[in-house]
Amino acid sequence: MPHIDVRRRHDLGREAARTLATELAADLERDYGVDARWDGDVLRIAGRGVKGDVVATDTELRVQASLSMMMRPLRGALTREIERTLDEALR
């Protein structure tokens, strides 16, 4: 079970959702040093202490991540940052 699971519905369409997912991943790469790569419709994220996926569909963005023991204290901050970024982008 992932430690982070954030879902947001949208009406952007798949391509715009993928663009948004890519922007979110760029923020995570910059702030937390994770690596992000597209694997079909799933953006795979991996880094020191974190592994997860961003799924961009026609109607939903979903971010799921599992955290190492060392990263778990940052769970709240990471979740808030993901939620804030998605909410701002989807306004």
Side-chain angles (χ1 to χ4, degrees), residues 18-38 43-45 54 81 85:
R18 284 177 61 100
T19 299
L20 179 56
T22 300
E23 292 170 3
L24 173 63
D27 289 344
L28 294 172
E29 286 175 323
R30 183 190 66 240
D31 296 342
Y32 298 100
V34 301
D35 181 47
R37 298 179 198 270
W38 282 101
L43 183 60
R44 307 272 183 212
I45 297 172
V54 180
E81 182 170 343
T85 300

Side-chain angles (χ1 to χ4, degrees), residues 60-76:
E60 183 179 72
L61 276 164
R62 183 175 188 181
V63 180
Q64 291 184 300
S66 295
L67 305 174
S68 70
M69 195 66 100
M70 288 182 57
M71 290 294 286
R72 287 182 195 164
L74 298 176
R75 177 181 179 225

